[in-house]
Amino acid sequence: MAEFTMELNDEQKEVRDWLHGFAADVIRPAAAEWDEREETPWPVIQEAAKVGIYSLDFYAQQYFDPTGLGIPMAMEELFWGDAGIALSVVGTGLAAVGVLANGTEEQIGTWIPQMYGDPNDVKVAAFCSSEPDAGSDVAAMRTRAVYDEAKDEWVINGTKTWATNGGIANVHVVVAVVDPELGSKGHASFIVPAGTPGLAQGQKFKKHGIRASHTAEVILDGVRVPGSCLLGGKEKLDERLARARERAKTGGERVKNAAMATFEASRPAVGAMAVGTARAAYEVALDYAKTREQFGRPIIDNQGVAFQLADMRTSIDAARLLVWRASWMAVNGRPFTAAEGSMSKLFASETAKKVTAQAIQILGGNGYTREYPVERMHRDAAIYTIFEGTSEVQRLVIARTLSGMPIR
């Protein structure tokens, strides 16, 4: 087990500087254009693939970093560049985590490479959990998967929404109900490859922020996938469902469903994304405050501005500490006895919203225009308190963990 440390080793510092350079030289110059176009920045994703950032190998190296700091460090630097483009670069990761968390070794080896493609033909993947009537309340999910034993196929019907890369993905990881009587415990995850009959993209959403990231509905109408596309396999699913039925009869402890397992593993990473956006806005505001003069002196000499910057930096550093702690705990098998993963996402998300708003205030009228990036950063930051569990849901998870109540 790696000891918890706030000091990056030489290899981590080298990776951090490499990522920072890519974010500064490739992502930032393209940010405003792709935000306006509201389209997937395929050229940037391809550049990331060419240098090795958009690849299974890179994320595996960061994911298995024994210190736990590889993924949050990478997320912070990329999202420092731009949240919308960075989400297009890392969005495949949520689907990959879904396969890593629930799939067999054979499924991991088969499907994760197909999620990324290669530098000459990049692909993306989508994790499909939310539905029009089931966002935070995963127990309300209606997408149904029924097993056709004669053909060893699963038949999936339903509509997914808010899916990053939904409809344009080469691989969709779809969470569906297999036993409605078990509520959220009766869910399973399935691989649905592109081109599968019955799979279609619904509406593409025009969003307030992260507009370079493709978000859409995914329609599943009589989709048939082989039994091998059930993540973890049917034997494992049957055993899990049997345990859940027995616990339901005896009133025993609740078990995690596939979607919740994926979100739990990814929440500190989302916190790191928020830290990156907050840090970017803070740096713009700090530079502006040092050079912008009013009444014959830089505005940072005014206590009202200086104190805001002090609070911004303090909150950013505190958020990073929470994210790194949760990431270290997850990698080293430490249980989240106080919902530390949710804590990290909650605090970092709220910090990003507040810091980006403060940055606009410090820049004044300039901050409200698109001539300066803080306006875009503020729009982007709003998503962190919403996706992969709203701030309200994070508080619910934390409160129920502390009280010993079941987490649904």
Side-chain angles (χ1 to χ4, degrees):
M1 177 182 296
E3 293 294 325
F4 180 69
T5 176
M6 292 299 296
E7 181 66 32
L8 299 178
N9 59 41
D10 290 342
E11 182 179 351
Q12 290 169 327
K13 289 177 181 177
E14 184 177 343
V15 172
R16 179 199 61 192
D17 294 345
W18 171 52
L19 291 169
H20 187 81
F22 183 84
D25 298 338
V26 180
I27 293 179
R28 278 206 169 176
E33 175 188 352
W34 291 99
D35 178 72
E36 291 287 345
R37 291 175 62 168
E38 299 191 53
E39 296 175 358
T40 300
W42 291 108
V44 181
I45 298 174
Q46 188 171 34
E47 285 300 310
K50 286 179 180 178
V51 300
I53 293 174
Y54 186 76
S55 70
L56 172 61
D57 288 344
F58 172 73
Y59 286 105
Q61 289 173 12
Q62 306 314 310
Y63 186 84
F64 291 111
D65 180 340
T67 70
L69 303 185
I71 288 294
M73 177 190 63
M75 296 301 104
E76 179 177 338
E77 293 304 329
L78 293 174
F79 280 73
W80 172 90
D82 176 70
I85 291 179
L87 190 57
S88 289
V89 173
V90 308
T92 292
L94 185 58
V97 168
V99 176
L100 285 169
N102 303 295
T104 64
E105 289 187 8
E106 181 178 357
Q107 289 169 330
I108 291 169
T110 298
W111 294 109
I112 291 185
Q114 295 185 44
M115 294 179 174
Y116 290 96
D118 61 64
N120 296 317
D121 185 22
V122 293
K123 305 293 184 182
V124 294
F127 183 75
C128 307
S129 177
S130 294
E131 298 184 0
D133 297 317
S136 299
D137 183 10
V138 294
M141 191 177 293
R142 295 181 181 177
T143 296
R144 184 77 188 274
V146 178
Y147 184 57
D148 183 342
E149 189 171 0
K151 296 183 178 181
D152 185 27
E153 292 179 339
W154 288 89
V155 184
I156 308 174
N157 286 281
T159 299
K160 295 296 181 179
T161 193
W162 310 122
T164 299
N165 297 329
I168 66 171
N170 192 53
V171 178
H172 291 78
V173 177
V174 177
V175 182
V177 178
V178 294
D179 189 333
E181 295 183 0
L182 292 176
S184 62
K185 300 188 293 294
H187 296 176
S189 293
F190 299 85
I191 294 289
V192 181
T196 301
L199 174 69
Q201 178 183 311
Q203 67 169 316
K204 177 186 174 183
F205 295 104
K206 297 181 72 66
K207 305 187 298 296
H208 175 65
I210 55 167
R211 301 197 301 191
S213 174
H214 176 97
T215 310
E217 288 184 331
V218 175
I219 312 299
L220 302 113
D221 183 10
V223 167
R224 283 182 170 268
V225 295
S228 59
C229 286
L230 166 64
L231 290 181
K234 194 166 188 307
E235 182 178 348
K236 183 177 178 181
L237 172 65
D238 289 341
E239 291 175 356
R240 177 167 64 81
L241 294 178
R243 291 196 301 270
R245 294 187 190 104
E246 186 62 28
R247 285 177 176 135
K249 290 179 182 178
T250 61
E253 63 179 291
R254 305 179 71 89
V255 297
K256 296 176 186 174
N257 61 72
M260 289 298 287
T262 300
F263 289 139
E264 184 173 311
S266 63
R267 277 173 179 157
V270 177
M273 298 173 189
V275 171
T277 299
R279 191 184 109 210
Y282 159 76
E283 290 176 0
V284 172
L286 177 63
D287 289 343
Y288 186 88
K290 288 179 177 179
T291 57
R292 173 67 167 173
E293 292 191 0
Q294 290 288 283
F295 305 106
R297 61 180 182 176
I299 63 173
I300 198 171
D301 286 350
N302 297 308
Q303 193 176 79
V305 173
F307 279 16
Q308 283 196 75
L309 289 163
D311 288 343
M312 292 159 75
R313 176 59 186 268
T314 300
S315 295
I316 291 167
D317 283 9
R320 185 183 296 109
L321 277 166
L322 286 170
V323 167
W324 283 21
R325 179 184 70 167
S327 301
W328 174 81
M329 292 176 68
V331 167
N332 287 282
R334 295 290 184 91
F336 288 164
T337 56
E340 287 87 350
S342 289
M343 281 186 185
S344 69
K345 181 188 181 295
L346 170 64
F347 190 81
S349 298
E350 296 292 340
T351 293
K353 279 187 67 174
K354 184 177 180 180
V355 165
T356 54
Q358 288 174 305
I360 290 176
Q361 193 68 25
I362 290 172
L363 270 67
N366 286 328
Y368 200 66
T369 71
R370 295 188 185 180
E371 296 299 314
Y372 288 80
V374 291
E375 174 271 340
R376 183 180 68 251
M377 294 170 183
H378 184 52
R379 287 189 286 108
D380 292 342
I383 193 60
Y384 299 127
T385 63
I386 298 172
F387 72 173
E388 293 198 49
T390 64
S391 288
E392 291 75 20
V393 166
Q394 305 310 318
R395 292 185 177 99
L396 181 65
V397 170
I398 295 166
R400 287 186 168 174
T401 301
L402 296 177
S403 69
M405 294 174 63
I407 301 171
R408 296 177 174 83

